[in-house]
């Protein structure tokens, strides 16, 4: 994985790690609303999703591409999905406390190429 802070060469698109993980997990926990995942989808897709290929469909496809290429993001995605499965009714504070250690393993901004 190419991380912005350790390599000055930019190969893809830079995103906040939380926004990328929101796309791969299909859960909103970092952004307030869909603004973060929408940014990732529009940038990596190259165009706005329309018709039957809406944001959820495109997020699923882009998430699969990201997790297949970046194993560390796949691990984090699986951990976050497990947290949501085990605690379906947690509030925002609980969610933040449980997911923060996972986000802390990455730099704040990552460079993604798919």
């Amino acid at each position: 994985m190419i991380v912005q802070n350790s390599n000055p060469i930019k190969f893809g698109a830079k995103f906040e790690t939380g926004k990328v993980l929101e796309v791969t997990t299909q859960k909103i926990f970092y952004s307030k609303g869909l603004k973060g995942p929408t940014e990732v989808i529009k940038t990596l897709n190259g165009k706005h999703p329309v018709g039957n290929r809406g944001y959820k469909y495109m997020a699923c496809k882009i998430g699969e591409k990201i997790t297949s290429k970046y194993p560390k993001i796949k691990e984090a995605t699986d951990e976050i999905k497990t947290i949501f499965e085990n605690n379906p009714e947690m509030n925002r504070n609980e969610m933040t406390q449980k997911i923060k250690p996972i986000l802390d393993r990455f730099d704040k901004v990552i460079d993604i190429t798919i």
Side-chain angles (χ1 to χ4, degrees):
M1 177 174 10
I2 301 164
V3 182
Q4 177 203 14
N5 295 341
S6 64
N7 190 347
I9 301 171
K10 311 316 187 263
F11 292 102
K14 293 184 285 182
F15 300 105
E16 292 179 51
T17 304
K19 292 177 182 179
V20 173
L21 289 172
E22 284 179 334
V23 171
T24 61
T25 61
Q26 305 287 305
K27 302 288 183 190
I28 304 296
F29 56 84
Y30 182 78
S31 305
K32 296 194 182 201
L34 291 172
K35 187 175 181 181
T38 302
E39 174 189 333
V40 175
I41 293 166
K42 285 180 183 177
T43 303
L44 294 178
N45 188 37
K47 58 185 175 186
H48 296 282
V50 293
N52 66 343
R53 305 240 172 170
Y55 285 102
K56 183 158 179 91
Y57 174 84
M58 293 312 299
C60 209
K61 293 296 180 189
I62 290 170
E64 288 173 6
K65 289 178 183 178
I66 292 170
T67 55
S68 68
K69 189 169 182 176
Y70 300 101
K72 290 182 181 180
I73 292 178
K74 180 170 178 26
E75 289 174 21
T77 298
D78 293 340
E79 287 180 51
I80 292 170
K81 284 183 177 179
T82 303
I83 290 170
F84 277 99
E85 288 171 5
N86 294 337
N87 307 297
E89 296 184 20
M90 65 182 149
N91 62 34
R92 187 119 179 130
N93 287 337
E94 286 179 286
M95 185 173 42
T96 302
Q97 290 174 354
K98 291 182 181 197
I99 295 174
K100 187 174 180 347
I102 297 169
L103 291 174
D104 289 344
R105 286 188 262 166
F106 298 93
D107 283 345
K108 184 173 174 84
V109 177
I110 57 176
D111 196 355
I112 295 288
T113 304
I114 58 171

